[in-house]
Amino acid sequence: MFKGYLSVSIQPLPSVVIGDTVTLKCNFQTDGNLREIVWFRVSTQVVEGGSAKQKIFTYDAMYNSTYSHMEDNHRREDLVYQSTVRLPEVQMEDDGLYECHVGIYDKSSTDKVILASGSITLTVIVPPKSISVVAANSLAPFSRYEAHNFTLVCIVTGAKPAPMVYFKRDGELIDVVPTAQLSSVEDPSKGRGLEKSFDRRLVGLWSSRALTSGDLDDTKLKKSQLEQEGKLARLGQDGPDGPEKGREHGSKSDSEPTTEVIPETVVSREFPRWVQSSDPLYYFQQQQHAARDGTMEVRAMLTWSLNPQLDNDALFSCEVNHPALSMPMQAEVTLAAPRGPKLSMSPSKATVGDTVRITVQGFQLGPSASEVFPEPIFTWTKVGGPLLDGREEHNGRELIMERVPAELNGSMFRCTAQNPLGSTDTHTRLIVFDNPRLRKRQFIAINAAARECPLILISLLLLLSLTCELT
């Protein structure tokens, strides 16, 4: 005997942004009489016998005379139904599997029920909560003769799923080399030159520049050649014509050294142009880990060989694409060398015995920079001798001297601020005035001592006379 026909399906649903309202739709077709509809949310928690299920909606035909939650259309002998469940302002905990269970009466017996079900996974996505760009490397002093790698880290938190992160320089997308490719390239068994492993249109030109006479200082010629050869050996940066031709150029410049003319305004930022590349490789690495709330934290790192001449005042931005965002989210920093530190002294009129604080309040900034980045290293020294506590130097944004003596009057203090892009010095003179209150206390102490002197003399005379009588 014919039992009855029942088909159940749930309409597909795209990812839903947290806070939106979602309607789940369960369509089923049958030629029998409806018995019940039950919606379940399937928990990720595993219990005995399978996953835990939470019942979120029930329709029982035995106790409901109307179909308030359903729409029906008659198609010959079949009935097409749709059951909907509305989830307002979905949250992270609403993410997961949902099931729609439908039961109809068996045509052969009203005591039997035919069951069928469908399921759908509701994916709740969350836009990033925050984005920031920081310098990854520990603070390093500025060096005129040694190139340093520099790393920017873009930190994106609170997103689900993990967003796509990319970097721009001065508004233009940066072509990067993923570190996975880099590790395979640096394997000596796979070739010496980076040019043979990557398309130059993707990664830029990473070749050694010929040492021309205009790039050299006659006092630095030997040092620059050694540095160049050492870097080529470490990085495998042989030029397009090989290392021999690079040495030939070096020998030509050795015979015709000239003196480099450095403008006075950049004397404190004298850069070895023969070490840097005008078109460096940018290496990219991305790490991610899950937070306790189910979102992802992403750290994207951009590393390159820093060129202070070209990179100073360069604008780097980190941008994020995410399906929950209508437009990219971004954070940006401007690389800037410290210039013209502004010092403040407290108290402004120091007296003997005061605690004096000299603090770096800020810097002279260019038109495109809002702060010095990366954060500089601050070093304090006293011109002509050690600091008050005997140390040769003090590191930090603030110099504190407790109970300054009169001997420090007129002393000159130097503050050196430096980051990988440059270095600058500034000086301040400490003027220490007499302290009237301290002088008054000293005068009172002297008077008290003077009053006690006669008593001490009398006591000594009495003691002396007593000693004489005894003898």
Side-chain angles (χ1 to χ4, degrees), residues 108-367:
S108 63
S109 172
T110 57
D111 296 333
K112 295 181 180 179
V113 177
I114 300 174
L115 298 176
S117 65
S119 63
I120 187 173
T121 299
L122 175 63
T123 302
V124 179
I125 60 177
V126 183
K129 292 181 181 177
S130 66
I131 178 173
S132 60
V133 180
V134 298
N137 308 87
S138 57
L139 294 178
F142 171 69
S143 175
R144 289 188 177 96
Y145 305 109
E146 184 178 358
H148 291 285
N149 284 341
F150 186 73
T151 301
L152 287 177
V153 182
C154 181
I155 305 173
V156 185
T157 62
K160 177 182 177 291
M164 184 179 71
V165 183
Y166 52 92
F167 286 90
K168 289 183 177 181
R169 174 175 175 146
D170 296 327
E172 295 184 2
L173 186 65
I174 298 176
D175 289 332
V176 298
V177 180
T179 52
Q181 296 183 21
L182 174 62
S183 60
S184 64
V185 169
E186 289 188 338
D187 187 349
S189 64
K190 295 184 181 180
R192 297 177 58 191
L194 287 175
E195 292 88 348
K196 299 178 182 179
S197 303
F198 295 105
D199 186 345
R200 291 185 183 180
R201 291 173 298 177
L202 173 66
V203 300
L205 180 62
W206 184 261
S207 60
S208 58
R209 291 176 51 195
L211 302 181
T212 61
S213 59
D215 286 330
L216 296 175
D217 189 311
D218 55 353
T219 63
K220 306 166 191 169
L221 179 59
K222 186 174 181 181
K223 182 178 181 65
S224 67
Q225 288 177 332
L226 292 175
E227 288 182 348
Q228 181 76 353
E229 292 174 0
K231 292 184 183 302
L232 293 179
R234 288 197 302 271
L235 299 178
Q237 305 178 243
D238 295 337
D241 299 320
E244 291 77 15
K245 187 162 184 179
R247 286 195 291 269
E248 291 176 6
H249 283 285
S251 62
K252 291 179 183 180
S253 60
D254 197 1
S255 60
E256 298 179 359
T258 60
T259 302
E260 181 182 9
V261 179
I262 302 176
E264 184 179 356
T265 55
V266 294
V267 168
S268 64
R269 296 172 57 241
E270 176 189 353
F271 305 115
R273 293 184 297 180
W274 57 87
V275 174
Q276 308 295 340
S277 169
S278 61
D279 190 10
L281 286 178
Y282 291 93
Y283 301 115
F284 180 82
Q285 182 182 10
Q286 181 167 313
Q287 300 173 349
Q288 61 188 46
H289 68 271
R292 292 182 178 180
D293 60 357
T295 60
M296 303 295 293
E297 177 178 302
V298 175
R299 289 175 177 261
M301 288 162 279
L302 183 73
T303 303
W304 75 100
S305 181
L306 190 70
N307 186 337
Q309 282 183 310
L310 299 178
D311 293 332
N312 193 43
D313 292 330
L315 175 65
F316 285 84
S317 61
C318 167
E319 297 193 5
V320 170
N321 278 337
H322 193 271
L325 295 173
S326 59
M327 59 185 300
M329 187 176 184
Q330 76 167 21
E332 58 187 28
V333 293
T334 299
L335 303 188
R339 291 182 296 183
K342 302 175 183 178
L343 304 183
S344 68
M345 186 180 299
S346 175
S348 57
K349 188 177 180 181
T351 57
V352 175
D354 286 348
T355 296
V356 176
R357 298 174 182 267
I358 309 176
T359 308
V360 180
Q361 295 288 353
F363 296 90
Q364 295 178 4
L365 301 173

Side-chain angles (χ1 to χ4, degrees), residues 299-466:
R299 289 175 177 261
M301 288 162 279
L302 183 73
T303 303
W304 75 100
S305 181
L306 190 70
N307 186 337
Q309 282 183 310
L310 299 178
D311 293 332
N312 193 43
D313 292 330
L315 175 65
F316 285 84
S317 61
C318 167
E319 297 193 5
V320 170
N321 278 337
H322 193 271
L325 295 173
S326 59
M327 59 185 300
M329 187 176 184
Q330 76 167 21
E332 58 187 28
V333 293
T334 299
L335 303 188
R339 291 182 296 183
K342 302 175 183 178
L343 304 183
S344 68
M345 186 180 299
S346 175
S348 57
K349 188 177 180 181
T351 57
V352 175
D354 286 348
T355 296
V356 176
R357 298 174 182 267
I358 309 176
T359 308
V360 180
Q361 295 288 353
F363 296 90
Q364 295 178 4
L365 301 173
S368 59
S370 58
E371 61 179 352
V372 173
F373 183 88
E375 177 71 13
I377 300 173
F378 300 95
T379 305
W380 297 87
T381 55
K382 179 175 174 287
V383 177
L387 297 171
L388 181 60
D389 56 7
R391 293 180 298 167
E392 292 297 326
E393 63 180 34
H394 168 74
N395 295 322
R397 182 179 282 266
E398 185 177 58
L399 175 65
I400 302 176
M401 295 175 288
E402 297 181 349
R403 299 178 181 177
V404 294
E407 290 75 17
L408 280 184
N409 182 36
S411 297
M412 184 78 73
F413 293 90
R414 177 192 299 112
C415 175
T416 301
Q418 57 182 326
N419 67 8
L421 293 157
S423 175
T424 184
D425 292 338
T426 189
H427 297 77
T428 186
R429 188 179 297 277
L430 176 63
I431 304 300
V432 182
F433 295 90
D434 289 336
N435 192 335
R437 290 178 297 176
L438 185 60
R439 282 184 171 277
K440 185 176 181 180
R441 285 197 295 267
Q442 292 175 346
F443 180 74
I444 293 174
I446 292 173
N447 287 341
R451 286 195 298 268
E452 292 176 359
C453 281
L455 296 176
I456 296 173
L457 290 174
I458 293 172
S459 300
L460 290 174
L461 290 173
L462 291 173
L463 180 62
L464 180 61
S465 61
L466 181 59

Side-chain angles (χ1 to χ4, degrees), residues 51-109:
S51 301
K53 294 184 180 181
Q54 177 188 2
K55 189 181 293 185
I56 60 174
F57 174 80
T58 301
Y59 174 82
D60 193 328
M62 292 183 62
Y63 303 101
N64 291 274
S65 57
T66 63
Y67 298 89
S68 57
H69 294 280
M70 296 185 298
E71 299 173 358
D72 57 349
N73 296 310
H74 295 276
R75 292 184 181 177
R76 299 179 185 176
E77 297 179 353
D78 293 350
L79 293 176
V80 179
Y81 297 93
Q82 183 179 82
S83 173
T84 60
V85 172
R86 186 172 176 268
L87 304 177
E89 298 181 358
V90 293
Q91 300 300 314
M92 285 284 293
E93 54 268 21
D94 295 321
D95 187 281
L97 184 65
Y98 289 80
E99 294 180 351
C100 173
H101 293 250
V102 179
I104 63 170
Y105 287 109
D106 189 339
K107 286 187 175 182
S108 63
S109 172

